[in-house]
Amino acid sequence: MRKGCCVVAVFAVLLQAAYAGEAPAEAPKIQFESLQHDFGQVAQFTPNEHVFKFKNEGTAILRIERVHANCGCTAALVSQDSLEPGEAGELKVTFNSQDFAGEVHKSVTVTSNDPERKDVILQIKANVIADLVCTPLALNFREVGTANAPSELVVKAFSPSGKKFKIVSATPSADYLKAEIVDPQKDEDPYQVRVTVAGNPPTGMFNATVLIQTDLDKTRPITISVTGNVLSRTEVTPPKIFFGVVCTGDTVSRSLLVKANSWEGLKVEKVESPDCLTVATEETKPGKEWKVTVQIKDAAAKAGDKPAGNSTMLKEKIKLFLNDPTMRQAEVMVYALVRDCK
C-alpha cells in the first residue's frame, strides 16, 4: 500500500512540473489612461476635441476592430488599428455642441480583440452655454373647452450666453392656433410667446407646432410642439350602452349624460326609441347637462322568448334630438343579452 501511494505522489509532482513549464497563452490587453473626460463649459456651435491615450499591455498584437459613438454629434478617430505589445495609441474624440444646451453626456465604445475586455466605453460630458434657449419645448392644452383647460400657454426665450437677440416670428402650423410675441420690458427679462387655441379646431386629439425664429445668425428655428384634446361642443357619454345579461321578466335601466362643454342653453328636444325600450330625460344642470335613462321593459325581455337556457341578442338604437346646431342628432346603440334564467 505504501509503495502505491508513493507512485501516485511522484506522478502528481511530475504533472505539476509539466504544467508549470508551459508558457502562458499570448493575448493582447488594452489599457486606457482615462475612461472619461469633462469638457466643462463650452460655447454652442463649437467643436471640442480630446485625445484618449491607450496602450497594448498584453503579449500579442492588439487590433482595434470598431469605434462607435452613440451620437452623430460625436466623432472618434483612432491613430492606428493595430498595436504591437507595449505600443501606445491615441483616440481623438470630437464633440460638436451646435444642437445642445446645458448638461450633455455622450459615449464612445471601442471594440478590440482583447479577450478579457472586448468593449471599452469612454464617457464625455460638457455644459453647453447656448445662445438661445426656449422653455418649455412642449405645450399641452389638455381638454380644450373645459374649465380645467388653460386659456393660454407661454414659451420663454432667453440667451444663457448673454447674446442680444430678437424674436422675429412665431409661426403656428395650424390655423386654429395663435402665437403672440411679447417683447421683454427689461433687458434681463425673457421674450415670451403666448400661444392660444383660437378659431374652430377639429374635434379630438391635435398635434401642431409653433416655429420660433430669431435674428441670431447661427441658431436654427426652434420648434415648439403643441398638443391637446378638443372636446365636441356637445358630448354624449357613454356613446354605447351595454346591459349585459338580462333575465326574462326583469326590468333594468342604464343612464347616459348629454353635456355642453363650451356653451350654455343645451336642450334634449326629443327622443326616438323602439318599443322594447323606455327612455326618460331629465335636465340635471340647467343649460349644461341632461340625464337620459334607458330601460328595458319586461315585455321586451319576453319578446326574446327562447327555450329554457337559450339567449337572444338585443341590439337597438335610440336617437336624441338636440338644439346644438353642430350636433342636431346623436345616436346611441343599446346592447343586451336576454336569457331565460329559470
Side-chain angles (χ1 to χ4, degrees):
M1 288 294 293
R2 182 174 299 176
K3 183 178 179 180
C5 291
C6 291
V7 171
V8 171
V10 170
F11 179 76
V13 171
L14 292 174
L15 187 62
Q16 290 176 2
Y19 277 112
E22 287 186 1
E26 294 185 347
K29 182 179 181 181
I30 191 170
Q31 184 67 44
F32 278 86
E33 289 186 0
S34 173
L35 297 179
Q36 57 187 11
H37 177 72
D38 185 356
F39 286 106
Q41 288 191 352
V42 300
Q44 202 174 31
F45 304 103
T46 60
N48 304 272
E49 294 182 352
H50 175 71
V51 174
F52 287 94
K53 295 182 178 181
F54 64 97
K55 187 177 181 180
N56 179 7
E57 295 188 350
T59 56
I61 295 176
L62 173 69
R63 290 184 174 84
I64 306 300
E65 298 173 350
R66 185 169 180 257
V67 178
H68 174 70
N70 72 338
C71 171
C73 61
T74 306
L77 181 64
V78 68
S79 59
Q80 58 198 91
D81 57 11
S82 179
L83 284 79
E84 295 288 342
E87 191 174 3
E90 295 182 344
L91 180 69
K92 183 170 73 173
V93 175
T94 304
F95 166 65
N96 195 326
S97 61
Q98 70 176 20
D99 294 324
F100 298 93
E103 287 284 342
V104 181
H105 296 263
K106 299 298 174 184
S107 67
V108 175
T109 302
V110 180
T111 303
S112 73
N113 65 334
D114 183 340
E116 295 185 358
R117 202 177 186 189
K118 188 71 175 175
D119 293 322
V120 177
I121 299 177
L122 307 175
Q123 304 282 351
I124 62 171
K125 65 178 182 177
N127 182 17
V128 181
I129 308 302
D131 291 340
L132 178 67
V133 169
C134 288
T135 182
L137 293 174
L139 305 176
N140 185 357
F141 279 93
R142 300 195 295 275
E143 293 185 338
V144 177
T146 60
N148 66 340
S151 58
E152 75 172 21
L153 293 172
V154 176
V155 176
K156 294 182 179 180
F158 58 95
S159 174
S161 66
K163 282 196 175 182
K164 299 294 183 181
F165 73 95
K166 182 179 181 180
I167 294 181
V168 296
S169 65
T171 308
S173 64
D175 56 9
Y176 53 81
L177 290 181
K178 180 182 178 182
E180 177 189 3
I181 301 171
V182 181
D183 295 337
Q185 298 297 313
K186 301 176 184 178
D187 290 342
E188 61 270 20
D189 291 344
Y191 267 92
Q192 292 187 3
V193 176
R194 295 176 181 171
V195 181
T196 56
V197 178
N200 295 309
T203 300
M205 298 293 295
F206 69 84
N207 193 338
T209 61
V210 172
L211 198 65
I212 297 177
Q213 178 70 64
T214 71
D215 61 353
L216 291 171
D217 292 335
K218 291 184 177 181
T219 57
R220 301 173 183 175
I222 293 182
T223 301
I224 308 297
S225 71
V226 185
T227 58
N229 183 19
V230 179
L231 301 179
S232 59
R233 192 167 183 263
T234 301
E235 186 178 8
V236 179
T237 54
K240 298 178 182 179
I241 295 179
F242 296 92
F243 278 89
V245 176
V246 179
C247 295
T248 54
D250 288 352
T251 300
V252 292
S253 61
R254 297 286 188 271
S255 296
L256 59 87
L257 293 178
V258 183
K259 298 185 293 183
N261 285 322
S262 56
W263 65 292
E264 295 187 3
L266 171 66
K267 185 177 180 181
V268 178
E269 296 179 330
K270 186 176 70 170
V271 177
E272 290 183 358
S273 63
D275 293 339
C276 60
L277 301 176
T278 299
V279 181
T281 60
E282 176 189 1
E283 188 176 24
T284 51
K285 294 181 181 178
K288 294 290 292 182
E289 184 179 279
W290 287 69
K291 180 180 180 181
V292 180
T293 302
V294 181
Q295 186 179 75
I296 297 182
K297 294 184 288 187
D298 176 67
K302 289 181 179 178
D305 229 354
K306 294 276 184 177
N310 286 336
S311 304
T312 185
M313 174 62 74
L314 180 71
K315 180 181 179 182
E316 299 291 348
K317 181 192 299 182
I318 62 174
K319 295 181 181 180
L320 307 175
F321 295 87
L322 314 174
N323 66 335
D324 180 357
T326 66
M327 186 189 289
R328 288 293 189 184
Q329 179 179 314
E331 295 183 350
V332 178
M333 295 301 300
V334 179
Y335 301 91
L337 189 63
V338 181
R339 177 179 297 170
D340 185 356
C341 301
K342 295 178 181 179

